[in-house]
Amino acid sequence: MSKKKSVSPYFTETDADQIRAAVKAVGHLEGYASITDLVEGATLRELKRLQRKYNGGKKWPGVPAGELRPGRRTREEMQHRKEDG
């Protein structure tokens, strides 16, 4: 089993409030004892979906920390995402 490493996603204040509310309200019913449990579970489900859709269900080769551009998306990237969604 791989050692866990800390990664910090960022959420708007409104989204963060809702994440905390969900964990408080139903986390115990769904098996989420913390925000980390919820975010990790959701992220890994999405990762599996992306692997099935774009990579034949296989894992991609790992990408070391620091190789992705840090920070928020640019306005252009945000616009492109809205057009796709």
Side-chain angles (χ1 to χ4, degrees):
M1 179 176 218
S2 296
K3 182 179 176 185
K4 289 191 176 191
K5 173 127 169 104
S6 177
V7 176
S8 299
Y10 294 93
F11 297 97
T12 65
E13 187 173 339
T14 301
D15 289 343
D17 287 348
Q18 286 299 295
I19 293 166
R20 285 189 294 274
V23 171
K24 184 175 181 180
V26 299
H28 64 287
L29 300 173
E30 296 289 329
Y32 302 122
S34 66
I35 292 172
T36 297
D37 285 349
L38 175 62
V39 172
E40 181 179 47
T43 302
L44 293 177
R45 279 190 302 278
E46 178 65 1
L47 174 61
K48 292 290 184 190
R49 184 189 74 78
L50 294 171
Q51 288 169 333
R52 285 190 303 270
K53 184 173 181 178
Y54 296 103
N55 203 39
K58 295 180 265 176
K59 292 181 178 182
W60 284 288
V63 174
E67 285 201 20
L68 298 179
R69 179 183 56 80
R72 297 175 186 250
R73 291 182 294 268
T74 64
R75 285 187 181 143
E76 181 180 327
E77 290 169 328
M78 292 293 286
Q79 184 62 38
H80 179 69
R81 185 173 182 194
K82 289 177 185 174
E83 291 169 0
D84 288 345

